[in-house]
Amino acid sequence: MISTSARLLRLVSLLAAQPSWTNAELADRIDVTERTVRRDIAKLRDLGYAIESDPGPWGGYRLRAGSTVPPLILDDEEAFAVAVGLCEAALGGALGGERAALSALLKLRQVLPRRIIDRLDERDAAFVAAARAEEPHAMPGLLLELAAACREGVRVRLSYVDWEGRGTVRDVDPYRLVHAERRWYFVARDVTEGRWRAFRADAVGGLRPLGHPVEVVDAPDPALLVSRSFGAGSNPPTETVPGKEV
């Protein structure tokens, strides 16, 4: 017999899958007694799920949209579909604000099973964004890595292509990921030069965590740095401002 928590998750998934279930149908699908189903429904209501019921032998249970947002249960295909949709929104601005989509995608990936993340990585590797020449895009997977680096506060080894097309490798201390003028920019401190730099995300080839904790000192206003560096729209992929060595 499955655990109570697993049974409750299964029950929520079933209630979300179709408009209504009878007690007998739920009991049969979960392989428990109808009395257990009634007790589990009561527990879910205590947790904030808005579950309505109709009396009588042919009555049923249905999940109603409530005033709170309890945990959402998705199967593999649903989770993959949501993640892909958020990728598209982060790239194309379908929601009017790519930052919200990227933030949601980052949170979702924290809880996705490895098998789904692998599928997303495979899709990312095969995906090509048909952007206008003047608006190159960074891949969603790379944006997630940059955002995670900023959140975790650990030094990374960054590879990127400079404005002359030369490949370069730098150790940097991540700080912020900035979205401006339909592009993403990675603000970090160049360890070798002791300077804060704004890297265009579409010029970043990859990054690798080095495990060294970052202590942010004299950090610039990231949005202002990006604005000054790329406001004219014709500046090279990286710009710098003075900073102190940590």
Side-chain angles (χ1 to χ4, degrees):
M1 181 177 293
I2 62 176
S3 66
T4 300
S5 57
R7 194 174 66 242
L8 291 177
L9 290 175
R10 174 63 174 156
L11 182 55
V12 172
S13 180
L14 290 171
L15 289 170
Q18 69 181 45
S20 180
W21 294 86
T22 66
N23 194 321
E25 288 173 332
L26 290 172
D28 180 65
R29 293 294 295 269
I30 304 175
D31 195 22
V32 296
T33 66
E34 294 185 29
R35 182 180 180 183
T36 298
V37 171
R38 286 193 290 270
R39 286 202 300 258
D40 287 348
I41 291 292
K43 291 176 183 177
L44 290 175
R45 285 168 171 164
D46 289 340
L47 291 173
Y49 289 89
I51 301 174
E52 297 178 333
S53 59
D54 296 319
W58 302 108
Y61 293 106
R62 57 182 175 273
L63 193 60
R64 174 178 56 84
S67 56
T68 59
V69 183
L72 179 64
I73 309 301
L74 301 174
D75 62 24
D76 282 12
E77 293 304 316
E78 292 168 336
F80 182 75
V82 170
V84 170
L86 289 171
C87 285
E88 298 291 343
L91 280 174
L95 302 178
E98 293 90 336
R99 285 173 292 183
L102 180 62
S103 176
L105 182 57
L106 182 61
K107 292 177 182 178
L108 179 61
R109 283 186 67 118
Q110 301 303 310
V111 298
L112 287 177
R114 183 71 251 174
R115 60 184 180 274
I116 300 180
I117 294 178
D118 288 342
R119 289 180 62 189
L120 290 171
D121 289 343
E122 290 171 1
R123 174 197 177 274
D124 197 24
F127 179 77
V128 176
R132 295 197 302 268
E134 69 272 18
E135 291 185 358
H137 284 296
M139 298 302 293
L142 175 62
L143 290 176
L144 288 171
E145 288 187 65
L146 294 172
C150 294
R151 186 192 69 250
E152 293 166 3
V154 176
R155 184 168 295 169
V156 299
R157 184 153 292 161
L158 186 76
S159 61
Y160 67 96
V161 179
D162 67 17
W163 67 281
E164 293 182 336
R166 298 173 301 188
T168 310
V169 176
R170 291 281 181 172
D171 290 353
V172 301
D173 292 341
Y175 183 50
R176 292 289 187 271
L177 193 60
V178 178
H179 183 263
E181 300 297 329
R182 300 186 64 81
R183 289 193 179 99
W184 288 97
Y185 301 89
F186 180 52
V187 175
R189 180 182 163 279
D190 188 306
V191 176
T192 301
E193 297 183 357
R195 292 176 177 272
W196 289 98
R197 304 170 69 106
F199 300 88
R200 245 177 50 188
D202 58 88
V204 175
L207 66 157
R208 179 170 63 87
L210 298 178
H212 179 75
V214 172
E215 180 182 355
V216 177
V217 177
D218 293 337
D221 180 320
L224 183 59
L225 173 60
V226 169
S227 177
R228 288 175 174 173
S229 301
F230 300 96
S234 58
N235 291 321
T238 65
E239 288 293 334
T240 65
V241 295
K244 293 184 179 179
E245 183 71 32
V246 177

